[in-house]
């Protein structure tokens, strides 16, 4: 438990330090950049374990009771982590993965307030959907990306 | 870094991980209808494909390294397609751990990008590719190849060249499928064949091709590409494509790549 708290504090500290990144595009809202910084911090931990981070990301608004879904196309045998982060006033988010028929699949989850991740190893290649939902808090910006190995 | 990594994974094990479980409710028909697509995430890169193949066998990636000069054509559509195929080739060179090959391909990507009037910012990517190749940093190269492709696409978007963005994606996917299907056909196993089952990607690419500017759609190369992708769509529809399906996909994809890289005057 102490290790968990330590990690949470380290992550919070790292995120705090990155809340105002330099050299960003003028059109991008600050809140989205903050969400991106947070999610990159989380994904960075996976990359230390050999996961490669995709260069693209998915960003937008999250509202209570209105989850959002993204199509992804995965390869059987690869290992994936989908990482997401939201900015205040979001307090807690969750990530789920569904097969092409919209049925939930078995995942590993990491949830730490406004930061969450879902780990998945598909047995079948093809289309899947990633869902992100606001579990606690008010309308806020989110950012999601994925890593694979 | 090791300490950070250890703490992170210990945390996953002790506190944060909810364990292996499935979400409780299925998506509604309305939610499936509202699913978003973001090309830079929805469409996987060839490197992701090759990673999966590398887990099932030990391919001789060097055999797939392509040499030669890029396509000599005035057609912007063909240049964009050729650029896409080079991105896939870059991943082959990375898998083959051929540093000089990566440098050569990086140089060719930049040369083609210049012909499409991309900005100076993309040129810096060529230097990064060289540096990572010099240091045999294969993991960083996989990410840098994707970043280079995305930077080219971003420039195209700024220049309102949306059609070219589609063609870069199609070029990379077609070359990636040619290599992957060739590998699967060489030593066919149902498990490997299942990697080719990507019907949603094929549908996405066909939809995107149908949306490129009208003038571009009438180019013979684009018409051939659409016909080829439509043919492959049925071949990869089964969850486990047969040996015949895989061979057919390989033949079609190889022909499309040949058309992309050949000088139109030679055809």
């Amino acid at each position: 438990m102490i290790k968990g708290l330590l990690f949470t504090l380290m992550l919070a500290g790292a995120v705090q330090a990155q809340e105002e990144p330099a050299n960003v595009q003028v059109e991008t809202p600050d809140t989205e950049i903050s969400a991106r910084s947070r999610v990159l911090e989380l994904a960075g931990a996976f990359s230390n374990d050999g996961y490669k981070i995709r260069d693209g990301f998915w960003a937008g608004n999250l509202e209570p009771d209105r989850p959002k879904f993204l199509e992804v196309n995965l390869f059987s045998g690869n290992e994936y982590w989908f990482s997401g982060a939201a900015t205040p006033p979001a307090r807690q988010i969750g990530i789920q993965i569904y097969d092409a028929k919209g049925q939930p699949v078995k995942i590993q989850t990491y949830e730490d307030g406004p930061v969450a991740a879902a780990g998945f190893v598909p047995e079948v290649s093809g289309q899947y959907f990633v869902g992100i939902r606001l579990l606690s808090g008010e309308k806020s910006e989110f950012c999601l990306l994925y890593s694979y190995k | 870094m090791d300490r950070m990594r250890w703490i992170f994974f210990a945390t996953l094990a002790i506190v944060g991980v909810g364990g292996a479980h499935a979400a409780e409710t299925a998506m509604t028909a309305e939610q499936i209808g509202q699913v978003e697509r973001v090309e830079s995430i929805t469409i996987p890169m060839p490197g992701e494909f090759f990673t999966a193949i590398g887990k099932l066998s030990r391919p001789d990636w060097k055999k797939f390294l392509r040499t030669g000069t890029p396509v000599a054509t005035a057609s912007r559509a063909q240049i964009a397609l050729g650029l896409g195929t080079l991105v896939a080739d870059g991943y082959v060179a990375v898998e083959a751990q051929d540093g000089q090959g990566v440098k050569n391909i990086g140089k060719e990507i930049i040369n083609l990008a210049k012909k499409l009037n991309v900005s100076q910012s993309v040129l810096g990517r060529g230097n990064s590719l060289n540096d990572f190749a010099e240091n045999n940093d294969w993991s960083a190269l996989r990410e840098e190849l994707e970043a280079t492709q995305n930077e080219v696409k971003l420039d195209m978007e700024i220049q309102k060249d949306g059609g070219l963005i589609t063609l870069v994606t199609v070029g990379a996917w077609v070359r990636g499928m040619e290599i992957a299907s060739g590998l699967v056909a060489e030593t066919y196993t149902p498990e490997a064949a299942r990697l080719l089952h990507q019907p949603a990607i094929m549908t996405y690419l066909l939809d995107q091709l149908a949306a490129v500017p009208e003038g571009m759609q009438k180019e013979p190369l684009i018409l051939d590409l659409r016909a080829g992708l439509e043919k492959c769509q049925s071949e990869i529809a089964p969850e486990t494509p047969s040996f015949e399906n895989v061979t057919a996909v390989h033949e079609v994809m190889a022909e499309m790549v040949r058309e992309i890289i050949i000088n139109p005057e030679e055809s």
Side-chain angles (χ1 to χ4, degrees):
Chain A
M1 193 60 87
I2 291 169
K3 286 169 192 152
L5 285 170
L6 190 63
F7 168 75
T8 307
L9 288 170
M10 287 177 72
L11 187 61
V15 166
Q16 190 77 30
Q18 292 195 26
E19 275 192 341
E20 290 180 23
N23 300 324
V24 293
Q25 288 184 335
V26 177
E27 299 84 5
T28 311
D30 286 349
T31 46
E32 185 186 308
I33 292 163
S34 177
R36 212 185 310 173
S37 300
R38 288 174 187 220
V39 80
L40 280 170
E41 182 73 23
L42 177 61
F46 293 118
S47 68
N48 291 331
D49 197 38
Y51 285 83
K52 288 164 279 288
I53 304 173
R54 286 291 309 268
D55 187 56
F57 62 89
W58 176 43
N61 291 315
L62 269 184
E63 293 177 53
D65 302 320
R66 295 192 67 181
K68 289 205 166 173
F69 301 92
L70 176 78
E71 179 189 324
V72 291
N73 291 280
L74 311 177
F75 295 99
S76 57
N78 278 357
E79 298 165 48
Y80 295 91
W81 273 102
F82 294 85
S83 305
T87 53
R91 286 194 295 274
Q92 190 181 3
I93 62 165
I95 297 175
Q96 298 85 28
I97 300 172
Y98 305 83
D99 67 17
K101 292 175 181 165
Q103 294 298 319
V105 297
K106 273 192 172 181
I107 56 171
Q108 291 281 328
T109 56
Y110 167 77
E111 290 174 357
D112 184 17
V115 178
F120 179 50
V121 182
E123 290 179 7
V124 177
S125 295
Q127 185 186 44
Y128 291 86
F129 304 121
V130 182
I132 183 166
R133 69 183 70 226
L134 185 61
L135 300 172
S136 173
E138 300 301 320
K139 182 179 176 180
S140 48
E141 301 283 335
F142 78 92
C143 185
L144 182 141
L145 53 77
Y146 77 81
S147 324
Y148 70 94
K149 75 171 181 181
Chain B
M1 268 312 180
D2 280 350
R3 181 174 167 74
M4 180 68 187
R5 175 182 158 190
W6 186 89
I7 291 170
F8 178 77
F9 285 99
T11 306
L12 280 181
I14 296 166
V15 179
V17 173
H21 68 83
E24 287 173 9
T25 53
M27 291 169 69
T28 63
E30 188 187 2
Q31 287 171 333
I32 291 176
Q34 291 171 348
V35 163
E36 294 182 29
R37 288 170 187 84
V38 176
E39 188 169 298
S40 59
I41 293 197
T42 300
I43 303 300
M45 291 297 288
E48 210 170 320
F49 211 154
F50 298 162
T51 297
I53 287 178
K55 288 184 175 180
L56 297 175
S57 60
R58 286 178 170 263
D60 179 11
W61 293 106
K62 284 193 166 66
K63 200 169 70 179
F64 294 93
L65 284 172
R66 207 168 40 150
T67 54
T69 51
V71 58
T73 174
S75 161
R76 287 167 63 79
Q78 192 173 0
I79 292 171
L81 285 161
L83 197 152
T85 66
L86 282 172
V87 171
D89 284 322
Y91 283 104
V92 173
V94 169
E95 294 298 336
Q97 304 206 341
D98 181 341
Q100 189 56 49
V102 176
K103 285 184 196 174
N104 294 343
I105 289 163
K107 195 174 160 192
E108 289 181 4
I109 289 173
I110 300 301
N111 284 342
L112 287 190
K114 279 181 189 167
K115 288 184 185 175
L116 296 172
N117 303 324
V118 300
S119 72
Q120 290 292 316
S121 61
V122 175
L123 308 185
R125 292 287 180 185
N127 296 333
S128 301
L129 287 171
N130 269 346
D131 293 344
F132 289 131
E134 198 69 48
N135 296 321
N136 295 336
D137 192 343
W138 310 115
S139 187
L141 275 169
R142 287 185 185 93
E143 292 181 2
E144 193 63 19
L145 275 166
E146 182 176 10
T148 304
Q149 179 193 267
N150 286 348
E151 190 128 350
V152 171
K153 285 180 174 179
L154 184 65
D155 258 29
M156 288 172 171
E157 197 176 330
I158 291 166
Q159 294 175 40
K160 314 275 185 221
D161 267 337
L164 296 184
I165 295 174
T166 294
L167 298 182
V168 171
T169 305
V170 170
W173 185 250
V174 166
R175 175 70 174 140
M177 277 292 273
E178 181 204 4
I179 295 164
S181 57
L183 279 165
V184 174
E186 262 183 12
T187 51
Y188 179 87
T189 63
E191 196 181 8
R194 280 195 278 273
L195 293 175
L196 303 175
H197 172 69
Q198 293 288 358
I201 295 179
M202 216 60 94
T203 303
Y204 176 86
L205 295 179
L206 281 165
D207 288 349
Q208 294 299 106
L209 277 177
V212 299
E214 205 175 346
M216 208 178 263
Q217 281 192 42
K218 289 176 183 163
E219 288 192 29
L221 178 57
I222 306 301
L223 291 171
D224 287 351
L225 277 173
R226 286 188 67 176
L229 290 177
E230 278 164 6
K231 184 172 187 315
C232 287
Q233 201 169 24
S234 58
E235 304 288 354
I236 61 160
E239 204 167 275
T240 307
S242 67
F243 174 75
E244 289 72 24
N245 292 140
V246 175
T247 308
V249 168
H250 181 65
E251 283 171 6
V252 172
M253 294 293 177
E255 176 57 24
M256 287 198 282
V257 171
R258 196 191 69 80
E259 276 195 61
I260 290 169
I261 63 175
I262 203 169
N263 186 325
E265 290 170 9
E266 294 171 18
S267 59

